[in-house]
DNA sequence: TCTCAATGTAAGCATCGCTAACTTACGGTA
DNA sequence: TACCGTAAGTTAGCGATGCTTACATTGAGA
């Protein structure tokens, strides 16, 4: 909050650009960001950002990775509060849908980003799938989840959750403020669908 | 295929622009289209397109509506070949996922378009939902679909189908040629998920 | 046949992504 | 401590884009 006299070298340009881009995508959508505007915002010449990001797409890739990390954090946080496997499983689904509802533009950017250019995205997805399958097996062992191919259950659940999230995002393209109460209700609806749909509990 | 000597007035500029934009989005993605390039392609000055579309977004809206109409045509075609309600229901789900797999960019554009600007999109969605619910009720009356809230079944199915479609689109962002055999396999997988997931038959 | 509205053109503005050539100053080394 | 190489900034500018304004052309209806 205090960069009073900056001379020539910014010092934290990369972080600064990344953070303001992140916030701008979140609040205004991805088409609202421009390299030159970011540079102006940071009080730096319009060519400076290119010292830190080869081109605009790389910057967006970095934003997407940051969003993925944040999503992951929220999923971990949600599941950490639960004891048994089934509850964790549900909590993660709810948190996933909620994130999409609360950060539609980030969610969209995450999924429109080539996972070759942003390998962290692919890694995170793979790890999450493994965790889901592990949870399902754990739940089955505890008698909480009916016996069925864990991969099929995971895939079905992923499709259902991702589908709900997408339906919300796609229906409210520019709606940036969905009250967290609304989001919660939607997320709970997702849980019920997961229960009745897959036959859990 | 023959516009040999065109003098001043093009004659079909609007359709021409719309069709080449549609094709360009389908094959190269939405970011590949520019007003000026479209004008060049049509052999017309770069200001001419704005006589037919107020701005670029309106053009994209029109492309999205055209894509929605095509999707709808394919869904109708798929369900028309089936006799009973359950089979129709499944055929529509399969066709939906297949369309997404074969035309990812159009599918994406359709859903990122504001349905206020392109009201046809909203209309089509509503009508499809009504048709799905009618099919479910019909299937229930015929004893083909278990008794449960038809709206819940419809919503679950929509989420699952849309989710699968999105997972395919999001995972292959630029993959434009997914063999139709692959697409068919994926669509069949969706059907199985619908069966096992919702408990149909 | 006249005319006017629809449809096209030419020219230009502001912005954008990105590059090239130059400058500054930080941090490791002699 | 003086030096210096390089990371990180600057200025200037190219080509492209979306879009506007003022003007030109022409087909269709009165």
């Amino acid at each position: 909050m205090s960069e009073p006299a900056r001379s020539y070298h910014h010092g934290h340009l990369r972080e600064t650009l990344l953070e303001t881009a992140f916030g701008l995508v979140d609040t205004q959508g991805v088409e609202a960001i421009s390299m030159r505007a970011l540079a102006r915002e940071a009080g730096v010449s319009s060519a400076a950002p290119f010292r830190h990001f080869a081109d605009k797409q790389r910057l967006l890739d970095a934003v997407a990775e940051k969003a993925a990390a944040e999503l992951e954090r929220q999923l971990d946080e949600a599941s950490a509060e639960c004891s048994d496997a089934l509850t964790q499983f549900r909590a993660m689904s709810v948190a996933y849908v909620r994130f999409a509802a609360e950060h539609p533009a980030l969610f969209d950017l995450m999924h429109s980003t080539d996972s070759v250019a942003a390998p962290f995205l692919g890694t995170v997805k793979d790890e999450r799938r493994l965790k889901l399958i592990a949870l399902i097996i754990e739940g089955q062992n505890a008698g909480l989840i009916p016996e069925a191919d864990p991969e099929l259950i995971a895939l079905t659940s992923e499709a259902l959750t991702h589908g709900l999230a997408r339906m919300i995002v796609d229906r409210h393209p520019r709606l940036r403020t969905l009250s967290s109460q609304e989001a919660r209700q939607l997320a709970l609806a997702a849980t019920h669908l997961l229960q009745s749909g897959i036959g859990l509990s």
Side-chain angles (χ1 to χ4, degrees), chain A:
Chain A
M1 284 304 143
S2 56
E3 225 72 24
R6 212 208 73 239
S7 56
Y8 213 88
H9 283 101
H10 182 287
H12 316 289
L13 223 206
R14 195 193 148 92
E15 310 176 31
T16 300
L17 292 172
L18 189 50
E19 280 170 19
T20 73
F22 185 90
L24 216 52
V25 169
D26 193 21
T27 57
Q28 321 247 53
V30 65
E31 68 278 0
I33 86 151
S34 89
M35 291 290 118
R36 297 178 102 112
L38 285 175
R40 276 193 298 270
E41 178 73 15
V44 105
S45 84
S46 55
F50 293 94
R51 294 283 171 198
H52 300 277
F53 300 97
D55 55 31
K56 185 180 182 177
Q57 188 53 55
R58 304 272 192 147
L59 192 253
L60 292 180
D61 292 347
V63 171
E65 292 198 333
K66 193 175 165 75
E70 175 60 18
L71 207 207
E72 209 54 23
R73 204 188 57 73
Q74 294 196 13
L75 292 187
D76 285 346
E77 188 177 305
S79 73
E81 294 170 353
C82 306
S83 48
D84 62 299
L86 177 55
T87 317
Q88 281 184 43
F89 184 86
R90 284 182 190 158
M92 286 178 67
S93 302
V94 172
Y96 187 87
V97 174
R98 188 187 303 176
F99 182 88
E102 290 177 348
H103 308 284
L106 289 173
F107 186 82
D108 196 66
L109 176 60
M110 263 179 57
H111 290 98
S112 67
T113 299
D114 184 11
S115 53
V116 173
F120 178 64
L121 292 181
T123 305
V124 154
K125 272 188 206 165
D126 290 344
E127 285 178 3
R128 184 157 62 233
R129 158 170 282 146
L130 291 182
K131 177 170 181 182
L132 280 183
I133 292 179
L135 276 180
I136 290 168
I137 294 176
E138 188 183 331
Q140 288 175 330
N141 289 341
L144 293 169
I145 294 179
E147 296 297 331
D149 181 3
E151 294 211 30
L152 184 62
I153 296 183
L155 182 56
T156 310
S157 149
E158 271 187 284
L160 194 50
T161 309
H162 187 65
L164 275 170
R166 270 296 188 185
M167 283 172 70
I168 293 171
V169 171
D170 291 345
R171 186 161 305 231
H172 304 263
R174 329 224 148 170
L175 191 63
R176 101 177 61 147
T177 49
L178 185 68
S179 79
S180 58
Q181 190 181 352
E182 270 182 292
R184 192 160 314 193
Q185 289 180 344
L186 285 165
L188 286 177
T191 313
H192 291 315
L193 283 172
L194 282 172
Q195 291 177 245
S196 63
I198 308 181
L200 297 185
S201 85

